[in-house]
Amino acid sequence: MKLGMLTACLPGWDLGRIADFASGQGYERLEVAVWPGTGGRDFEAAHLPVATLTDEDVQATRELLDRTGLEISALAYYENNLHQDPARRNEVHTHLKHAVDAAQRLGVPYVGTFIGRDNTKSVRENMVEGDRVLPELLDYAGERGVRLIIENCVMEGWHPDGYPGNIAYSPELWEWVTGLGFGLNWDPSHLTWIGIDPVETILPFAEHIVHAQAKDLELFPEQRNRYGFFGKVDKGDDPWDMGWWRFRVPGRGVVDWPHVVDRLYEAGFDGTLSVEHEDPLWGGEDEKVLEGLRIAHRTLRPLIAVEGVRTPRCWES
């Protein structure tokens, strides 16, 4: 297992500057954000120009990795592949293919995305639509030696009433997702707030969890008693403000990281645990974001074995 970080939390930095920080901090891999631009929503970034990637870009990226000793674990483009607007859906699919092409050229094994959802249809109807349109994307990636991986983010802000906007939020749906051929980019934070014990989902899906994200969660049960599970009715200008929970960096929320990491080891996981920093307390200013990444590193680094050294169990039942 290697410790990495998703670059999307630093949208104003170039990849070289991020790599220097990550390497100096002790991270080993980067999950590189490759949206076509920034500003569509928080936590989007464009750290590689995958739609226009030149041979010079490829060479410069390889030299950067060689210089810093880092590897790229995955390219990240988390968008709605079942969007109800055909034109928008086509834009998403086209850029996802650009990401796959870039991953092939850079020797990156995975491209992360979402299933998404057509909000005019039920979950079951979306699954039927997914059966129709998603295999073409999987085939495109597979023909280029790249695997598409799906994060289990609920994406409740994509739905006007806070319902799941990404139909990959539960193990029941993972059976369908992995049956299509996607891998899982497993994230415990989303499971936690919807009432699923994240640790208990690891062994049943061990063969499909090929990448993992490290994000924590803080809960406010007294607020849930006011708003209910689906959150505030009036979210104002922030569709993601559920009112009774918020994301945190690892170590500042309720996720039991020693237990999580130990169970990943038990499952034979040898991929990347990638810090996804969306903590509002450690956001907004570059130095605060960096401190959040340092907190996450201090939390997780002692739990992950150094290459060549056999580390004893972090947790015993």
Side-chain angles (χ1 to χ4, degrees), residues 215-232:
K215 188 160 74 265
D216 216 325
L217 192 80
E218 185 176 9
L219 303 174
F220 304 98
E222 70 284 359
Q223 293 297 95
R224 185 175 59 212
N225 289 337
R226 170 175 170 78
Y227 298 121
F229 179 82
F230 298 107
K232 294 179 178 179

PDB file of all heavy atoms in Angstrom, residues 215-232:
ATOM      1  N   LYS A 215     -10.773  10.104   3.194  1.00  0.00           N
ATOM      2  CA  LYS A 215     -11.495  11.311   3.589  1.00  0.00           C
ATOM      3  C   LYS A 215     -12.299  10.971   4.833  1.00  0.00           C
ATOM      4  O   LYS A 215     -12.843   9.882   4.942  1.00  0.00           O
ATOM      5  CB  LYS A 215     -12.409  11.778   2.456  1.00  0.00           C
ATOM      6  CG  LYS A 215     -13.055  13.126   2.723  1.00  0.00           C
ATOM      7  CD  LYS A 215     -13.545  13.801   1.448  1.00  0.00           C
ATOM      8  CE  LYS A 215     -14.811  13.162   0.881  1.00  0.00           C
ATOM      9  NZ  LYS A 215     -14.551  12.173  -0.150  1.00  0.00           N
ATOM     10  N   ASP A 216     -12.370  11.911   5.760  1.00  0.00           N
ATOM     11  CA  ASP A 216     -13.041  11.677   7.033  1.00  0.00           C
ATOM     12  C   ASP A 216     -14.335  12.481   7.073  1.00  0.00           C
ATOM     13  O   ASP A 216     -14.662  13.235   6.150  1.00  0.00           O
ATOM     14  CB  ASP A 216     -12.104  12.070   8.188  1.00  0.00           C
ATOM     15  CG  ASP A 216     -12.255  11.165   9.396  1.00  0.00           C
ATOM     16  OD1 ASP A 216     -13.376  10.725   9.678  1.00  0.00           O
ATOM     17  OD2 ASP A 216     -11.227  10.919  10.076  1.00  0.00           O
ATOM     18  N   LEU A 217     -15.073  12.328   8.175  1.00  0.00           N
ATOM     19  CA  LEU A 217     -16.405  12.898   8.280  1.00  0.00           C
ATOM     20  C   LEU A 217     -16.701  13.242   9.732  1.00  0.00           C
ATOM     21  O   LEU A 217     -16.374  12.478  10.637  1.00  0.00           O
ATOM     22  CB  LEU A 217     -17.428  11.871   7.790  1.00  0.00           C
ATOM     23  CG  LEU A 217     -18.845  12.352   7.545  1.00  0.00           C
ATOM     24  CD1 LEU A 217     -18.940  13.058   6.196  1.00  0.00           C
ATOM     25  CD2 LEU A 217     -19.804  11.173   7.555  1.00  0.00           C
ATOM     26  N   GLU A 218     -17.301  14.417   9.938  1.00  0.00           N
ATOM     27  CA  GLU A 218     -17.776  14.805  11.258  1.00  0.00           C
ATOM     28  C   GLU A 218     -19.298  14.873  11.225  1.00  0.00           C
ATOM     29  O   GLU A 218     -19.879  15.473  10.314  1.00  0.00           O
ATOM     30  CB  GLU A 218     -17.200  16.169  11.646  1.00  0.00           C
ATOM     31  CG  GLU A 218     -17.540  16.601  13.058  1.00  0.00           C
ATOM     32  CD  GLU A 218     -16.872  17.912  13.440  1.00  0.00           C
ATOM     33  OE1 GLU A 218     -16.277  18.575  12.554  1.00  0.00           O
ATOM     34  OE2 GLU A 218     -16.938  18.275  14.628  1.00  0.00           O
ATOM     35  N   LEU A 219     -19.936  14.252  12.214  1.00  0.00           N
ATOM     36  CA  LEU A 219     -21.391  14.164  12.267  1.00  0.00           C
ATOM     37  C   LEU A 219     -21.951  15.057  13.372  1.00  0.00           C
ATOM     38  O   LEU A 219     -21.328  15.221  14.416  1.00  0.00           O
ATOM     39  CB  LEU A 219     -21.823  12.718  12.532  1.00  0.00           C
ATOM     40  CG  LEU A 219     -21.343  11.664  11.546  1.00  0.00           C
ATOM     41  CD1 LEU A 219     -21.731  10.271  12.036  1.00  0.00           C
ATOM     42  CD2 LEU A 219     -21.903  11.908  10.160  1.00  0.00           C
ATOM     43  N   PHE A 220     -23.147  15.598  13.137  1.00  0.00           N
ATOM     44  CA  PHE A 220     -23.855  16.415  14.114  1.00  0.00           C
ATOM     45  C   PHE A 220     -25.268  15.849  14.279  1.00  0.00           C
ATOM     46  O   PHE A 220     -26.226  16.351  13.668  1.00  0.00           O
ATOM     47  CB  PHE A 220     -23.908  17.873  13.664  1.00  0.00           C
ATOM     48  CG  PHE A 220     -22.549  18.468  13.388  1.00  0.00           C
ATOM     49  CD1 PHE A 220     -22.069  18.544  12.091  1.00  0.00           C
ATOM     50  CD2 PHE A 220     -21.753  18.916  14.429  1.00  0.00           C
ATOM     51  CE1 PHE A 220     -20.813  19.077  11.841  1.00  0.00           C
ATOM     52  CE2 PHE A 220     -20.498  19.455  14.192  1.00  0.00           C
ATOM     53  CZ  PHE A 220     -20.022  19.532  12.884  1.00  0.00           C
ATOM     54  N   PRO A 221     -25.420  14.784  15.086  1.00  0.00           N
ATOM     55  CA  PRO A 221     -26.717  14.106  15.201  1.00  0.00           C
ATOM     56  C   PRO A 221     -27.849  15.024  15.651  1.00  0.00           C
ATOM     57  O   PRO A 221     -29.002  14.829  15.244  1.00  0.00           O
ATOM     58  CB  PRO A 221     -26.442  13.008  16.235  1.00  0.00           C
ATOM     59  CG  PRO A 221     -24.969  12.769  16.169  1.00  0.00           C
ATOM     60  CD  PRO A 221     -24.369  14.106  15.871  1.00  0.00           C
ATOM     61  N   GLU A 222     -27.543  16.025  16.498  1.00  0.00           N
ATOM     62  CA  GLU A 222     -28.601  16.918  16.953  1.00  0.00           C
ATOM     63  C   GLU A 222     -29.191  17.719  15.791  1.00  0.00           C
ATOM     64  O   GLU A 222     -30.387  18.036  15.774  1.00  0.00           O
ATOM     65  CB  GLU A 222     -28.077  17.859  18.043  1.00  0.00           C
ATOM     66  CG  GLU A 222     -27.094  18.923  17.607  1.00  0.00           C
ATOM     67  CD  GLU A 222     -25.684  18.409  17.351  1.00  0.00           C
ATOM     68  OE1 GLU A 222     -25.442  17.197  17.533  1.00  0.00           O
ATOM     69  OE2 GLU A 222     -24.829  19.227  16.977  1.00  0.00           O
ATOM     70  N   GLN A 223     -28.373  18.030  14.799  1.00  0.00           N
ATOM     71  CA  GLN A 223     -28.872  18.728  13.613  1.00  0.00           C
ATOM     72  C   GLN A 223     -29.670  17.788  12.706  1.00  0.00           C
ATOM     73  O   GLN A 223     -30.627  18.200  12.066  1.00  0.00           O
ATOM     74  CB  GLN A 223     -27.721  19.351  12.841  1.00  0.00           C
ATOM     75  CG  GLN A 223     -27.029  20.489  13.573  1.00  0.00           C
ATOM     76  CD  GLN A 223     -27.984  21.654  13.819  1.00  0.00           C
ATOM     77  OE1 GLN A 223     -28.597  21.769  14.877  1.00  0.00           O
ATOM     78  NE2 GLN A 223     -28.153  22.497  12.821  1.00  0.00           N
ATOM     79  N   ARG A 224     -29.262  16.521  12.671  1.00  0.00           N
ATOM     80  CA  ARG A 224     -30.032  15.537  11.901  1.00  0.00           C
ATOM     81  C   ARG A 224     -31.443  15.408  12.463  1.00  0.00           C
ATOM     82  O   ARG A 224     -32.400  15.173  11.710  1.00  0.00           O
ATOM     83  CB  ARG A 224     -29.329  14.187  11.914  1.00  0.00           C
ATOM     84  CG  ARG A 224     -29.999  13.122  11.017  1.00  0.00           C
ATOM     85  CD  ARG A 224     -29.179  11.856  11.003  1.00  0.00           C
ATOM     86  NE  ARG A 224     -29.036  11.313  12.347  1.00  0.00           N
ATOM     87  CZ  ARG A 224     -27.960  10.651  12.766  1.00  0.00           C
ATOM     88  NH1 ARG A 224     -26.935  10.458  11.949  1.00  0.00           N
ATOM     89  NH2 ARG A 224     -27.899  10.187  13.997  1.00  0.00           N
ATOM     90  N   ASN A 225     -31.588  15.570  13.772  1.00  0.00           N
ATOM     91  CA  ASN A 225     -32.915  15.529  14.377  1.00  0.00           C
ATOM     92  C   ASN A 225     -33.804  16.669  13.882  1.00  0.00           C
ATOM     93  O   ASN A 225     -35.033  16.561  13.934  1.00  0.00           O
ATOM     94  CB  ASN A 225     -32.804  15.602  15.906  1.00  0.00           C
ATOM     95  CG  ASN A 225     -32.237  14.340  16.511  1.00  0.00           C
ATOM     96  OD1 ASN A 225     -32.300  13.269  15.904  1.00  0.00           O
ATOM     97  ND2 ASN A 225     -31.669  14.445  17.699  1.00  0.00           N
ATOM     98  N   ARG A 226     -33.195  17.746  13.414  1.00  0.00           N
ATOM     99  CA  ARG A 226     -33.968  18.866  12.872  1.00  0.00           C
ATOM    100  C   ARG A 226     -34.233  18.699  11.375  1.00  0.00           C
ATOM    101  O   ARG A 226     -35.362  18.864  10.910  1.00  0.00           O
ATOM    102  CB  ARG A 226     -33.223  20.180  13.116  1.00  0.00           C
ATOM    103  CG  ARG A 226     -33.823  21.382  12.388  1.00  0.00           C
ATOM    104  CD  ARG A 226     -33.106  22.667  12.776  1.00  0.00           C
ATOM    105  NE  ARG A 226     -33.497  23.787  11.917  1.00  0.00           N
ATOM    106  CZ  ARG A 226     -34.624  24.468  12.032  1.00  0.00           C
ATOM    107  NH1 ARG A 226     -35.499  24.135  12.964  1.00  0.00           N
ATOM    108  NH2 ARG A 226     -34.884  25.482  11.220  1.00  0.00           N
ATOM    109  N   TYR A 227     -33.170  18.347  10.620  1.00  0.00           N
ATOM    110  CA  TYR A 227     -33.282  18.352   9.167  1.00  0.00           C
ATOM    111  C   TYR A 227     -33.668  17.009   8.569  1.00  0.00           C
ATOM    112  O   TYR A 227     -34.178  16.947   7.446  1.00  0.00           O
ATOM    113  CB  TYR A 227     -31.955  18.798   8.541  1.00  0.00           C
ATOM    114  CG  TYR A 227     -31.551  20.199   8.924  1.00  0.00           C
ATOM    115  CD1 TYR A 227     -30.350  20.435   9.580  1.00  0.00           C
ATOM    116  CD2 TYR A 227     -32.368  21.278   8.637  1.00  0.00           C
ATOM    117  CE1 TYR A 227     -29.970  21.719   9.929  1.00  0.00           C
ATOM    118  CE2 TYR A 227     -32.003  22.563   8.982  1.00  0.00           C
ATOM    119  CZ  TYR A 227     -30.802  22.785   9.635  1.00  0.00           C
ATOM    120  OH  TYR A 227     -30.444  24.054   9.977  1.00  0.00           O
ATOM    121  N   GLY A 228     -33.401  15.934   9.280  1.00  0.00           N
ATOM    122  CA  GLY A 228     -33.616  14.618   8.713  1.00  0.00           C
ATOM    123  C   GLY A 228     -32.429  14.167   7.881  1.00  0.00           C
ATOM    124  O   GLY A 228     -31.499  14.935   7.586  1.00  0.00           O
ATOM    125  N   PHE A 229     -32.466  12.935   7.483  1.00  0.00           N
ATOM    126  CA  PHE A 229     -31.354  12.297   6.784  1.00  0.00           C
ATOM    127  C   PHE A 229     -30.984  13.046   5.507  1.00  0.00           C
ATOM    128  O   PHE A 229     -29.813  13.163   5.149  1.00  0.00           O
ATOM    129  CB  PHE A 229     -31.730  10.848   6.463  1.00  0.00           C
ATOM    130  CG  PHE A 229     -30.672  10.096   5.725  1.00  0.00           C
ATOM    131  CD1 PHE A 229     -29.613   9.523   6.404  1.00  0.00           C
ATOM    132  CD2 PHE A 229     -30.730   9.956   4.344  1.00  0.00           C
ATOM    133  CE1 PHE A 229     -28.629   8.824   5.727  1.00  0.00           C
ATOM    134  CE2 PHE A 229     -29.753   9.258   3.659  1.00  0.00           C
ATOM    135  CZ  PHE A 229     -28.703   8.692   4.350  1.00  0.00           C
ATOM    136  N   PHE A 230     -31.971  13.570   4.763  1.00  0.00           N
ATOM    137  CA  PHE A 230     -31.713  14.184   3.467  1.00  0.00           C
ATOM    138  C   PHE A 230     -31.306  15.647   3.571  1.00  0.00           C
ATOM    139  O   PHE A 230     -31.135  16.320   2.565  1.00  0.00           O
ATOM    140  CB  PHE A 230     -32.930  14.030   2.555  1.00  0.00           C
ATOM    141  CG  PHE A 230     -33.251  12.596   2.279  1.00  0.00           C
ATOM    142  CD1 PHE A 230     -34.354  11.996   2.866  1.00  0.00           C
ATOM    143  CD2 PHE A 230     -32.441  11.829   1.456  1.00  0.00           C
ATOM    144  CE1 PHE A 230     -34.651  10.660   2.616  1.00  0.00           C
ATOM    145  CE2 PHE A 230     -32.722  10.503   1.207  1.00  0.00           C
ATOM    146  CZ  PHE A 230     -33.828   9.911   1.795  1.00  0.00           C
ATOM    147  N   GLY A 231     -31.153  16.150   4.787  1.00  0.00           N
ATOM    148  CA  GLY A 231     -30.591  17.470   4.989  1.00  0.00           C
ATOM    149  C   GLY A 231     -31.578  18.604   4.826  1.00  0.00           C
ATOM    150  O   GLY A 231     -32.790  18.418   4.726  1.00  0.00           O
ATOM    151  N   LYS A 232     -31.028  19.800   4.810  1.00  0.00           N
ATOM    152  CA  LYS A 232     -31.821  21.013   4.747  1.00  0.00           C
ATOM    153  C   LYS A 232     -32.700  21.057   3.496  1.00  0.00           C
ATOM    154  O   LYS A 232     -32.279  20.629   2.419  1.00  0.00           O
ATOM    155  CB  LYS A 232     -30.912  22.241   4.717  1.00  0.00           C
ATOM    156  CG  LYS A 232     -30.091  22.484   5.967  1.00  0.00           C
ATOM    157  CD  LYS A 232     -29.221  23.722   5.751  1.00  0.00           C
ATOM    158  CE  LYS A 232     -28.407  24.079   6.970  1.00  0.00           C
ATOM    159  NZ  LYS A 232     -27.556  25.272   6.725  1.00  0.00           N
TER     160      LYS A 232
END
